[in-house]
Amino acid sequence: MKSKKPSRRAQTPSRTASTRNESSHAQTLVHSNERSLKVWKNLFPTLIVWVTSLVFLPVLNNGFIDADNRLLGDYFGNRGLGWTDLQWMFAGFHLSWYQPLSWMTLGLDHVLWWADPFGHHLTNLALHVVNAVLLYRIGLELFWHWSPDDRITDAAWFRVAAGIATLGFALHPLRVEPVAWASARGEMVASAFFLLSLLGYLKANAPASVHRNPARWTIFSICAYLLSLFAGPSGLLLPVILLIIDSYPLKRLAGQRSGLRSAAGRLIWQKAPYLSLSVAFGVLNIAARHYEPITQPAYQDDFFTWAQYQLAAPAFFLWKAILPIGLSPAYELTGSSAAVYAAVGVVICAGVLHIRDRWPALAPAWLCYLVLLLPIFRSEFPAEQTLADRYTYLAGLPWALLLGVVVIHFRHAGPGRSLGTQPLLWSSGLTLVALTVLGGLTWNQARAWRDSETLWRQAATANPSSRAHFNLATLAEAHGKYEDAIASNRRVVEIDPLRWDAHERAARLLQKPGKIAEAVEHYRIVVRLNPGAIDARRKLAAGLVNQGESGEAVQQFRKVLELAPERNAARVKLGTILAVEGRLDEAAEILTAAARADPKDGRIALQLGQVLAAQGKFNEAVHYFAEATRLRPENAEAHESLGRGLFELGRKDEAAKHLREALRILRSSSAAR
């Protein structure tokens, strides 16, 4: 018996149901793929935020370091966001910088946290995390432009490369100083808006198929750059960086050989807003430095030493980026080591130039590194301040992005394809290990910034420098540990024999327990190394008097007066020494000059009168004795000297009157005691 074929009417419901099921399944797959894509897109930014925050967590337990107290305590205008505070921030120059936006963040911290270091460190850490996420976005934009051809369509690897590059930057121990030091706020805020400006520029110059509204992104970039300059001068050379990026990886000059000059001119003209802002704020910061010069330390390096450090900085910090151990807030180089680093820098420049065609990403990275490491407005700092980790914050960006380029190249240009999955697994494992090591080093370095003493002890151990030991001596003296302070100052001069300021401090500390002979030897070194050290020379002369070496003391006092004629106290002491030595004519000449310089000092008039009396010049002596009694009417010695002088002149009644007054003063002072 043949089965009946279902009618068309019977078949319709089943087909409709099947179609609905397929449609529902397809929609489920689409939603699932969208969720997966969203999770994948947010994976690395989320990872960057959490890992960076975790590694830098120790900074939240740290206190204030060195200059923090001056920056956050002595400057009253950054204690809020009131109208008066804002006027102080925007209408004045402070600490030789013009950085009102950075002052605003410190004012906000004061409103939220008062003087609690936790809040200030939390803000620095938050800024660092934001900068890391911005770097990730910049990496994605640059890697898309860097792509050598259209074969690279695996956007997932761009995210991997950008993530590795960002973590390499964010977790590197060189980032610790600007994050852990509250006083480096300007560097952090300026860098955040610098990165925003760079990101806006990249988006503005991408093809319209990728990013629309280039004019909007251009305005965004220029506004972000303006805010960066309001936060500090770190990004002053952004226009130069943009020109380098125009050449590579944006390749805006490629294929325009015939019109290269006109194309370059158009690119420079496009940078006119950036250049105008850069020049304007450059002039503003120069004015700030002249309005309120930076307080200079007692000891200054010469220009030649400073220049050596400048030339050594690129190779020095490249080495620290590769092997980040022995980090310190104060690096010091010998003449030979500075020369070696400078020579290595020249060799690297030559090598980069030689292989620029084979590795086109290396030359712009190296050039951007050099530009960002330039000592903008740092020329008056001591030489070791040229080598400060905080100045590598922006300068470290090119190497991080170059690391991402290497990751993409490995994946698509040969090794990643031809060797299968095994090399990828090994490289992934090595990357994880490297990032873990960097995170561990950063964690320990962040803990070193807990307080000033911990920081400088760690610095003196990791990278011994005269500055580290000098700061330890300062801390020991502040806590009354004078022997430790003396030992630290002596360690300073062992490392750098030219540090006369350490000799001066050691001498001052040796005077406290009465070790005059040792103090005198240190003062001798001070005046030999720094002939213009007036106070040290004056104290040397006083110490020589104490030791009975009056001849050398006279020479030192004469030198003091030659350098600083206004030092009348030194003139009086010189006159006193000459009088004791019996050189009455010279003593009278010196004391007469002293009395003329300060006619209201009765003690000088008394001493001059006594010298004149010893010369037998009683008429002149009586004049000065009378002036001394007028200026110091309750001084028994002045009345007695005047009485004796009048007696020598035969004016016995007047003499008796002043002698009786001297006796009365002596009796009343004895009764008071």
Side-chain angles (χ1 to χ4, degrees):
M1 186 174 177
K2 289 185 180 179
S3 62
K4 272 189 178 181
K5 208 170 178 185
S7 66
R8 234 175 240 205
R9 184 173 291 184
Q11 290 177 6
T12 301
S14 62
R15 287 184 180 178
T16 303
S18 175
T19 302
R20 288 176 179 173
N21 289 336
E22 289 176 1
S23 175
S24 176
H25 181 64
Q27 289 179 357
T28 302
L29 287 176
V30 169
H31 290 311
S32 177
N33 289 336
E34 288 179 351
R35 286 196 298 270
S36 299
L37 182 60
K38 186 176 181 180
V39 169
W40 176 246
K41 285 183 177 180
N42 295 329
L43 174 62
F44 275 104
T46 304
L47 187 65
I48 289 165
V49 169
W50 283 104
V51 173
T52 304
S53 301
L54 178 64
V55 169
F56 280 90
L57 201 60
V59 303
L60 300 181
N61 293 323
N62 293 348
F64 289 139
I65 303 294
D66 292 345
D68 289 342
N69 292 324
R70 180 188 176 198
L71 179 71
L72 305 175
D74 296 345
Y75 278 79
F76 299 101
N78 65 339
R79 295 188 175 183
L81 293 175
W83 177 244
T84 304
D85 301 313
L86 293 175
Q87 282 184 312
W88 181 90
M89 295 170 187
F90 280 88
F93 302 132
H94 312 289
L95 290 179
S96 297
W97 304 106
Y98 185 68
Q99 48 182 13
L101 192 56
S102 296
W103 289 119
M104 285 181 67
T105 65
L106 292 170
L108 179 61
D109 279 346
H110 187 80
V111 170
L112 296 175
W113 310 99
W114 291 80
D116 188 355
F118 172 85
H120 293 81
H121 292 310
L122 179 62
T123 303
N124 271 23
L125 176 54
L127 286 167
H128 181 53
V129 171
V130 169
N131 290 343
V133 175
L134 289 173
L135 176 60
Y136 174 77
R137 299 300 306 172
I138 289 170
L140 290 179
E141 294 290 331
L142 281 175
F143 297 155
W144 185 89
H145 285 288
W146 173 82
S147 179
D149 50 44
D150 294 334
R151 291 177 302 164
I152 300 179
T153 58
D154 190 0
W157 268 94
F158 285 166
R159 299 185 188 281
V160 172
I164 292 175
T166 302
L167 288 172
F169 169 84
L171 304 185
H172 201 284
L174 284 175
R175 309 289 91 81
V176 171
E177 180 174 311
V179 178
W181 192 23
S183 294
R185 176 64 58 78
E187 195 81 27
M188 302 301 296
V189 179
S191 296
F193 287 105
F194 177 97
L195 292 170
L196 276 173
S197 180
L198 180 56
L199 180 61
Y201 183 83
L202 292 172
K203 287 183 175 293
N205 290 281
S209 59
V210 180
H211 296 297
R212 298 178 181 177
N213 297 320
R216 182 187 66 182
W217 283 112
T218 299
I219 295 172
F220 173 85
S221 176
I222 294 171
C223 291
Y225 184 48
L226 176 63
L227 292 175
S228 175
L229 295 176
F230 269 119
S234 302
L236 269 175
L237 296 180
L238 176 63
V240 180
I241 301 299
L242 297 182
L243 288 171
I244 296 171
I245 292 175
D246 280 340
S247 175
Y248 191 90
L250 299 188
K251 304 175 185 176
R252 301 181 71 187
L253 294 175
Q256 302 184 40
R257 297 282 182 184
S258 57
L260 186 60
R261 182 175 297 180
S262 61
R266 285 194 301 272
L267 292 180
I268 293 175
W269 177 250
Q270 185 192 37
K271 307 301 179 297
Y274 299 94
L275 289 170
S276 300
L277 290 174
S278 179
V279 171
F281 276 84
V283 172
L284 201 60
N285 277 283
I286 291 173
R289 292 176 70 81
H290 285 85
Y291 179 81
E292 184 183 336
I294 293 175
T295 302
Q296 298 296 330
Y299 175 75
Q300 282 288 110
D301 295 290
D302 56 28
F303 175 80
F304 179 72
T305 303
W306 176 85
Q308 278 187 310
Y309 275 52
Q310 300 294 343
L311 295 173
F316 177 82
F317 278 118
L318 181 58
W319 176 243
K320 288 297 180 184
I322 297 170
L323 191 66
I325 57 175
L327 299 185
S328 170
Y331 300 105
E332 289 180 6
L333 303 177
T334 62
S336 58
S337 62
V340 169
Y341 279 118
V344 171
V346 173
V347 171
I348 293 174
C349 287
V352 168
L353 187 64
H354 180 69
I355 63 173
R356 66 185 184 280
D357 293 330
R358 185 178 177 185
W359 297 94
L362 184 58
W366 174 253
L367 192 55
C368 287
Y369 170 67
L370 293 180
V371 170
L372 292 170
L373 202 60
L374 282 176
I376 301 298
F377 300 116
R378 302 203 295 270
S379 59
E380 293 183 11
F381 283 152
E384 73 266 11
Q385 283 296 289
T386 303
L387 303 179
D389 291 351
R390 62 185 176 278
Y391 298 138
T392 69
Y393 194 80
L394 286 177
L397 299 176
W399 299 124
L401 294 170
L402 192 62
L403 175 62
V405 171
V406 171
V407 172
I408 296 175
H409 181 80
F410 178 84
R411 174 66 179 86
H412 294 279
R417 286 180 172 179
S418 60
L419 299 180
T421 59
Q422 195 69 18
L424 292 177
L425 292 175
W426 276 103
S427 60
S428 299
L430 290 174
T431 301
L432 182 61
V433 170
L435 292 176
T436 303
V437 171
L438 286 178
L441 292 173
T442 297
W443 176 280
N444 288 331
Q445 187 69 13
R447 294 175 63 189
W449 285 77
R450 182 177 59 191
D451 53 53
S452 295
E453 185 172 358
T454 303
L455 174 65
W456 292 114
R457 287 199 181 281
Q458 189 271 346
T461 303
N463 197 329
S465 66
S466 63
R467 184 179 166 218
H469 286 283
F470 188 82
N471 286 333
L472 284 175
T474 303
L475 292 170
E477 182 180 355
H479 290 93
K481 301 177 181 178
Y482 299 130
E483 292 299 325
D484 291 344
I486 293 170
S488 293
N489 279 307
R490 285 174 171 165
R491 179 65 179 137
V492 170
V493 298
E494 288 176 9
I495 297 173
D496 185 357
L498 299 180
R499 288 290 300 253
W500 56 265
D501 53 341
H503 281 290
E504 187 172 15
R505 280 195 174 187
R508 178 167 49 77
L509 292 171
L510 287 165
Q511 282 182 306
K512 291 181 181 293
K515 299 179 180 180
I516 305 301
E518 295 180 59
V520 163
E521 292 306 313
H522 281 285
Y523 280 131
R524 279 198 175 105
I525 297 173
V526 173
V527 299
R528 187 180 76 245
L529 296 175
N530 182 25
I534 299 172
D535 287 332
R537 194 177 293 276
R538 178 180 58 79
K539 291 176 182 178
L540 170 60
L544 290 168
V545 171
N546 185 277
Q547 289 185 288
E549 301 179 41
S550 56
E552 187 180 351
V554 167
Q555 295 177 9
Q556 296 299 338
F557 275 124
R558 289 190 186 279
K559 186 65 176 177
V560 169
L561 293 172
E562 179 184 328
L563 294 170
E566 72 280 0
R567 296 289 185 99
N568 208 44
R571 189 173 284 108
V572 173
K573 289 182 179 180
L574 175 59
T576 303
I577 295 171
L578 291 171
V580 170
E581 286 191 332
R583 298 159 65 175
L584 299 179
D585 291 341
E586 295 178 71
E589 180 183 354
I590 294 293
L591 290 172
T592 299
R596 193 179 301 117
D598 189 1
K600 295 183 179 181
D601 192 333
R603 292 172 299 180
I604 299 176
L606 176 60
Q607 285 183 268
L608 176 56
Q610 289 170 340
V611 170
L612 292 170
Q615 290 180 297
K617 301 176 180 179
F618 291 105
N619 283 320
E620 297 177 53
V622 164
H623 168 74
Y624 284 104
F625 287 144
E627 186 67 11
T629 58
R630 184 182 69 81
L631 293 170
R632 300 169 66 88
E634 293 300 313
N635 187 283
E637 185 180 4
H639 284 283
E640 181 184 2
S641 299
L642 177 57
R644 292 181 182 276
L646 291 168
F647 184 82
E648 292 292 338
L649 292 175
R651 298 159 61 179
K652 297 181 181 179
D653 293 338
E654 294 179 68
K657 174 184 173 183
H658 284 284
L659 290 172
R660 283 195 296 270
E661 180 64 13
L663 185 60
R664 182 194 67 78
I665 294 171
L666 290 173
R667 285 175 176 172
S668 62
S669 61
S670 299
R673 285 197 295 269

